[in-house]
Each structure stands twice: as C-alpha cells, then as structure tokens.
Amino acid sequence: MLKKHYSIIRIVFLLSIISSFLLIYLITVNGQPVLLPLALFSVIGLTLTLHLVYRSLIKPLDLIAKSLDDQSAEPIAPLLNHYSRFSNIAKLIKHSFDYKQSLVTQIEERERAEDALKKSEALYRSVIETSTDAIMLIKSSGRIVFHNSSASALFEIEANKTPHCLKFISSEELRILRQKFKRAENNLRDYECTLVGKGDKLFPAEVSISGVWESESQCFIVIIKDITGRKIMEFEKGRLEEQFRVAHKMEAIGQLAGGISHDFNNVLGAISGYADIINKKCSSDEKISKYAQMIMSGASRASDLTNKLLTFSRRKKIQFIPIDVHHTLEDVADLLNHTVDKSITIECLLKAKSTTIMGDTMQVQNIFMNIAVNALNAMENGGVLKISTKDMYLNKAFSENKAYEIAPGHYLNIDISDNGCGMCKKTTAKIFEPFFTTKSKGMGTGLGLASVYGSVKSHNGYIDVTSRLGEGSTFSLYLPCITENKNEDHPIPQIKKSENSGKNILIIDDESFLCNALKEMLSWMGHTSCCYCDPFEAIEFYTNNYKDFHLIFLDLIMPGMNGLETYRMLKKINPDLQVIIASGYCLEPDRQELLKEGVNYILQKPFVSSQLSDALQKVMG
C-alpha cells in the first residue's frame, strides 16, 4: 500500500516539475522575465519538499512494510537508532518478532517435552504391563483405581469395574498389613501373607506397599508377587536336605555297624566255640548239654542281629542270581494268608511285565516279609494289605529329588500299602534307622527296616515311604529289572588236599580268648596248633618253622598289619602254604581280592566246630 502511495507521489512530483518548466517557458515566451525567479524558487522548493517527505515518511514506511512482509526485523534495523516515531514503531515491531520467536521456541520445547513424556509414559506402561508382578494403585478407601494385566490374571477383576481390595485379602490380614505399614513409616517391603486369587484359591504372596498422594488424596502403590513356586522349592529343598541328612546319618551308622561287627563276632566266636566244646565233651550230662545248647542258641541269635547290621551297612556277602519278583511276592502273600487274622485281607495287583531282577534270594524275601509284617502289625483292627507292581522308567530327574542317586533305566516298582494307624512325620523320618522301633519293649530289635534299607541299596534300588496318622502307610520300592537271565561268575577257590591224618596248624589272631577257643576246638578234632596274637611275631616264628605247619588259620582284621598283608608276607616265605581266613565281616571286593591272592577258604565268624571241620575238610581233605 505504501509503495502504491509512493508511486503516486513520484508521479505528482514529475508533473510538478513539468508544469514548473512549462510555466518558465511561457513566462519567457510572453516576455515576463520578472516572474522567472519566482518560478525557479517554486520548483526548487517543491523538489526539496518532496525529497524531505520521501526521507522522513515514505522510506521508513517502505522499510516497515518490507519488514512486515518478510516477517523479519532486519529491514527495520536502520530505524531502530533514529529518534523518531518510526523508531518506536520499529522497536515495537522487533519486540513483537522476538516475542513471537520466544513463543515458537516455547511451543517447540513443549511439544518435545510432550513427545518425551508420551514416550516415557508408554515405556513405563509397557514395563508395568509386562511385569509378572501384580501392580495396583489403591485409594485409602480400598478401591482399586489402576491395575496391570498381571493383576487381572491373578485376581478376579472384572473389566470396567472398580473392585475393592477386601475382595482379595481377609480383614484380619488387612489389619496386620496396616499395622506393619504404619510401623514401617508408609513404606512396607516384601511382607509375606496369604491372598485370595481366582476361584477363591489361596496362595502365598509377597507384598510391597508405598504411600503416594494423588489430587490431594492419599493412595497406595501395591506390588504383589506370587511366591507359590518359591515356597514349593523351599519345601522341596527342606525335604531333600532332611533326606540327605538321614541318608548321611544312616551311612555313618552303617560304617559304625560294620566296624563293631568284627569285635562283636570275635566275642560271639569265643562264646559259641566254648559252648560247642562243652556240648561235645559233656554230652552225657543232660543239664550241661542243655545249658551249652542254650548258650549256642543265644550266640546264634546275636549272630543273626550282627548279620542284619551287616546287611544294613551293605558289608555282608550277597550272591546275585535272577529272581522272579512276582513269584517271591506270591510266596510271601501265601505264607501270610495262613498266619494273619481273618480281619485282614491281602490283595495282590501284580501288573508288571518285566518281573526279573538280579538279587540275593534271601535278602529279597526278607525285604518283602519285613515290610509286610510291619504293615500287618499296624492294622490292629483289621484292614487291607495291598501289594502292587508296575513297570517304570526312571530318569535322572528322579534321583534329583531323592536322598541318594540311582542309575536311570527300567525299574520294577513294588508298592506295599496298608490302611492301619499310620505314622507322623517325625516317626517316618526315623524308621530306617537301626534300633529305632515303635513297638513295646522286648517286642522288636529295630533292625527289620534298617536291614531292608541296606538290602535295597545293595540291590542298586531305592525305597521310599509315605504315611499319615490314621490313614496308613505305603512303602515304594524301585528295583532294577532285567529282560533276560544273567548269571554272574563267582571265582571258586582252588582247594588243595592233604593227607587225612591230624595236621599242625598255626593260628594268628589278635584276640587271645578266640585263639584259645579255636585251639581247643582243633585239639578236640585231633589237630595240633600254636597261637600268636601279634602278626609280626607270627611271621618271625613261621620263617624259621614253616616246614612244620600244614595250614595257617589267619584273622582278617588285626592291628598293625591286617590279614591280607600278613598273608602276602607268609606267602613270600612259603609259596605253597594253605590258609583259611576268618573274619567278622568281609566286603565282597575284599573277598574277591583274597581269593585272587590264593587264599584257600574264607570262614565267617562266629562259627562252631562243625563249620570249622567242614572248612578244614574242604582245604586239606
């Protein structure tokens, strides 16, 4: 608009100049020179006036118009330092431009902040929604105003509804929570309690609460973690620790049992040996013979207890042969059917297809008989004894949850259950311990189930028990089965025969009373003997007199030098010597090692004269 006005003024200015020159021409032509100065003055005045109007009005307005068109303060920069009204207008325009730029900058910053806030909100919402923990915002009134998807999955929360927290927690639990929350100064962490989940199912939870303010009202951020899995793991860990503790304790008891068996059998050997001698020499006296037989019977019972201890500690020699477990179970059931009270029913559900195991016949029978007898004793008022079998394949995971490891493979599972009085957890944890019994004094030795435990381990199997008071007990056995019969080759000692006349025998045993009993028994059989309790002294004596002896009777366990070491030293002196090893207990690997070394016979302590005579007959003829 200003440019248009400026163009008009220029046209007017040109027209004025033209009219002035025309006026001067007319004056000159008409002969009026007096008016010429006046005309020139008018033209000059008009020119100056128009120039002044251009500089003070037109040009500033033109710069202001350009600045407004360009939306820039650069064109009006020359006006800012002038002292005129246009200078104030320019300053106002520049200020408006600066204010506008400030507003634009603020708007851009706000837009960036809003974008960042949206991204942050989206991130936090994603974190909250993907959290496996239930996260809720609860008002002080108990109303839930916000919850994530995990909370919806954990609790019964309907869509578009505001539930109350009392729906998920009992009033008593809520009272305890409030007390703890106040004591923790409005910041409770990892409090364990029981909540109500979907389907009114109770579950253990870990709760954390923080107090916040929203719109001048107090709210609480509640984070709930379902710790059911952790509690199960803790329970399993505790159960396994208890099983391992029991297993280690029983292993220690087994080692102790094996250790004392040697000394115990030495004492029993002397008792039974002397009683046998008395019985033979005083057979004409009925009372003395009867007393001797009673002593031998007592020694035999004590020896049986020792054998059970050895079985428990897996130190007794066992002979593995193929055994059909179903036949054995049927024999046990048939035997029990003829002896149990009529109020007890025996049921056999033998469904397994692979029924053959490698085992010791006597031990397998004793395993089933001991468990069955205990089950019958638990059913004083009658009941049902169930014996069932099935095929199972046990993997590595089975051993991970058991007291000791067993090899993966195909097993025969035998369950023997009753509906008797049952047992508490404390009793169940101790039933396999030696000498532990719930029977009245004098009614049991406490070695029955201990020997069962040892026998099962000797057969590379596993035994477990579950029981509840008033409901009964179930013994579960897992024994490795075979698909075909396998006979193990056992080395047979080479028996050297000698003349049938009386022999001279060297006895080496650290127990003097047992030496004397053995010497007396050999004398009664027509043999001569001499005894040494110190193996070093015996070796020195044998070095000078080995040609005088036909046989050496050698104890396996002695202080200073054991029987195997003594045997090796004696064999260096006389490679053709004949030896009978006597032992209170002998591990199967040790037994095999002795036989490989050339030992002629291994005699189990305690023994009587008939067993000793049989050993001598087998070695010397």
Side-chain angles (χ1 to χ4, degrees):
M1 187 70 182
L2 289 175
K3 289 181 178 180
K4 183 178 180 181
H5 291 167
Y6 175 68
S7 299
I8 294 172
I9 290 173
R10 285 175 60 182
I11 292 171
V12 171
F13 174 74
L14 290 174
L15 289 175
S16 298
I17 293 297
I18 292 170
S19 61
S20 296
F21 277 105
L22 182 61
L23 179 63
I24 291 171
Y25 174 75
L26 291 174
I27 291 173
T28 304
V29 171
N30 294 328
Q32 296 180 355
V34 178
L35 297 174
L36 183 60
L38 180 62
L40 291 173
F41 180 80
S42 299
V43 170
I44 293 170
L46 181 61
T47 302
L48 292 174
T49 301
L50 290 174
H51 180 71
L52 181 63
V53 169
Y54 173 77
R55 281 182 60 98
S56 61
L57 178 63
I58 301 301
K59 187 176 181 179
L61 289 175
D62 192 21
L63 294 175
I64 291 172
K66 182 175 178 55
S67 175
L68 292 174
D69 289 342
D70 296 345
Q71 291 293 303
S72 172
E74 185 177 353
I76 59 173
L79 301 177
L80 295 175
N81 297 324
H82 288 185
Y83 296 97
S84 65
R85 292 183 181 275
F86 288 107
S87 175
N88 294 332
I89 293 172
K91 290 178 180 179
L92 289 173
I93 292 172
K94 185 177 184 303
H95 178 71
S96 67
F97 285 161
D98 292 342
Y99 182 71
K100 177 185 177 182
Q101 185 62 37
S102 175
L103 289 177
V104 170
T105 303
Q106 290 180 13
I107 291 171
E108 289 176 350
E109 290 178 352
R110 180 170 296 180
E111 287 177 349
R112 286 195 295 268
E114 287 177 353
D115 290 341
L117 181 60
K118 288 179 181 179
K119 291 179 180 179
S120 177
E121 287 179 353
L123 177 62
Y124 281 107
R125 182 172 293 277
S126 175
V127 170
I128 290 173
E129 286 298 324
T130 56
S131 173
T132 56
D133 298 338
I135 301 175
M136 296 184 288
L137 182 65
I138 303 178
K139 288 187 175 182
S140 56
S141 62
R143 290 291 173 184
I144 300 173
V145 295
F146 169 80
H147 64 275
N148 65 350
S149 56
S150 295
S152 300
L154 197 58
F155 301 104
E156 290 284 357
I157 300 179
E158 298 179 13
N160 303 322
K161 287 191 177 181
T162 305
H164 199 281
C165 67
L166 283 178
K167 185 177 180 181
F168 316 126
I169 185 171
S170 65
S171 56
E172 179 62 22
E173 196 77 71
L174 182 63
R175 183 184 64 80
I176 297 173
L177 261 176
R178 282 174 174 168
Q179 291 177 352
K180 289 186 174 292
F181 186 65
K182 287 181 179 179
R183 286 199 293 266
E185 298 180 354
N186 297 344
N187 196 3
L188 187 62
R189 288 286 179 272
D190 302 333
Y191 171 70
E192 292 188 9
C193 61
T194 302
L195 301 180
V196 183
K198 285 187 174 181
D200 296 331
K201 184 180 178 181
L202 299 177
F203 68 93
E206 193 175 76
V207 179
S208 297
I209 307 175
S210 299
V212 294
W213 289 88
E214 185 187 51
S215 302
E216 297 183 356
S217 63
Q218 189 176 24
C219 295
F220 305 97
I221 297 175
V222 181
I223 301 175
I224 300 173
K225 181 189 292 290
D226 184 357
I227 58 174
T228 303
R230 191 176 79 189
K231 288 295 183 181
I232 292 174
M233 290 179 65
E234 288 176 356
F235 173 78
E236 288 295 323
K237 180 182 177 183
R239 186 176 66 85
L240 286 176
E241 285 177 351
E242 179 64 18
Q243 286 183 338
F244 280 120
R245 185 190 67 80
V246 172
H248 287 309
K249 180 171 67 175
M250 295 178 71
E251 187 67 26
I253 294 172
Q255 293 176 359
L256 176 64
I260 66 173
S261 295
H262 170 70
D263 294 332
F264 194 50
N265 279 330
N266 277 338
V267 175
L268 290 176
I271 293 172
S272 59
Y274 280 117
D276 190 27
I277 293 170
I278 293 171
N279 185 45
K280 291 292 191 296
K281 289 190 174 182
C282 302
S283 57
S284 58
D285 191 324
E286 293 183 2
K287 282 190 175 182
I288 294 177
S289 179
K290 181 180 178 181
Y291 296 154
Q293 289 175 9
M294 290 176 68
I295 294 171
M296 291 171 64
S297 176
S300 177
R301 290 182 59 190
S303 177
D304 182 58
L305 290 177
T306 307
N307 286 335
K308 287 183 177 180
L309 277 174
L310 291 173
T311 300
F312 167 75
S313 62
R314 294 186 292 166
R315 283 170 166 77
K316 187 181 177 184
K317 180 194 172 187
I318 56 177
Q319 295 180 346
F320 285 98
I321 62 172
I323 299 173
D324 190 318
V325 174
H326 278 188
H327 290 169
T328 305
L329 289 172
E330 288 168 352
D331 291 341
V332 170
D334 185 59
L335 178 63
L336 294 174
N337 271 321
H338 291 86
T339 57
V340 299
D341 190 270
K342 298 299 182 183
S343 60
I344 296 176
T345 303
I346 300 176
E347 294 181 358
C348 290
L349 304 173
L350 309 180
K351 297 182 178 180
K353 295 181 180 179
S354 299
T355 62
T356 305
I357 66 168
M358 292 298 293
D360 182 88
T361 305
M362 188 61 67
Q363 284 199 20
V364 172
Q365 288 177 348
N366 286 337
I367 288 171
F368 301 143
M369 186 61 73
N370 270 305
I371 296 175
V373 168
N374 276 283
L376 295 174
N377 291 334
M379 296 185 289
E380 295 181 352
N381 300 320
V384 179
L385 174 65
K386 291 183 180 180
I387 303 174
S388 60
T389 64
K390 62 183 178 181
D391 299 299
M392 288 190 70
Y393 180 83
L394 305 183
N395 53 21
K396 289 184 179 180
F398 180 86
S399 293
E400 291 175 359
N401 298 320
K402 300 302 177 183
Y404 57 87
E405 186 176 355
I406 62 173
H410 294 278
Y411 283 74
L412 177 60
N413 171 222
I414 306 105
D415 287 338
I416 302 176
S417 59
D418 64 78
N419 54 0
C421 58
M423 298 176 288
C424 63
K425 290 184 178 179
K426 186 176 180 180
T427 302
T428 304
K430 293 185 175 182
I431 56 171
F432 295 121
E433 295 182 9
F435 306 112
F436 175 80
T437 180
T438 57
K439 297 177 182 178
S440 303
K441 187 176 181 180
M443 297 298 292
T445 62
L447 287 173
L449 290 177
S451 64
V452 166
Y453 182 88
S455 296
V456 172
K457 290 192 74 175
S458 296
H459 287 74
N460 300 317
Y462 189 84
I463 183 169
D464 202 1
V465 59
T466 56
S467 184
R468 285 189 179 183
L469 277 175
E471 296 183 15
S473 306
T474 299
F475 285 82
S476 298
L477 296 95
Y478 305 89
L479 299 174
C481 56
I482 59 174
T483 56
E484 59 182 3
N485 293 341
K486 297 180 181 179
N487 293 315
E488 292 187 351
D489 296 328
H490 298 279
I492 301 173
Q494 296 297 321
I495 299 173
K496 297 182 180 180
K497 297 183 179 181
S498 63
E499 299 177 3
N500 293 327
S501 58
K503 305 299 179 181
N504 195 17
I505 299 172
L506 175 62
I507 302 171
I508 306 175
D509 196 310
D510 61 307
E511 299 290 351
S512 58
F513 59 87
L514 190 58
C515 281
N516 294 332
L518 181 56
K519 187 175 181 180
E520 194 72 32
M521 292 167 67
L522 291 171
S523 177
W524 177 73
M525 294 177 191
H527 302 290
T528 57
S529 60
C530 65
C531 301
Y532 278 89
C533 295
D534 187 335
F536 297 99
E537 292 180 2
I539 291 170
E540 184 179 357
F541 173 76
Y542 188 73
T543 303
N544 301 319
N545 303 279
Y546 70 90
K547 293 181 180 180
D548 298 333
F549 292 94
H550 302 93
L551 178 73
I552 295 177
F553 196 93
L554 181 61
D555 187 23
L556 182 59
I557 298 177
M558 296 182 293
M561 183 182 294
N562 62 34
L564 180 57
E565 293 170 338
T566 304
Y567 170 74
R568 288 170 178 167
M569 294 294 291
L570 294 172
K571 195 172 183 181
K572 289 180 181 179
I573 300 168
N574 179 16
D576 297 325
L577 82 167
Q578 292 179 315
V579 174
I580 293 177
I581 289 280
S583 174
Y585 76 89
C586 182
L587 296 173
E588 185 61 24
D590 294 337
R591 176 185 176 85
Q592 298 300 327
E593 183 66 24
L594 289 169
L595 295 174
K596 288 179 182 178
E597 291 276 348
V599 171
N600 300 96
Y601 195 84
I602 300 173
L603 185 60
Q604 177 72 36
K605 293 180 182 179
F607 51 83
V608 293
S609 57
S610 59
Q611 294 171 317
L612 176 60
S613 177
D614 184 53
L616 293 173
Q617 180 66 27
K618 288 181 179 179
V619 175
M620 297 189 299

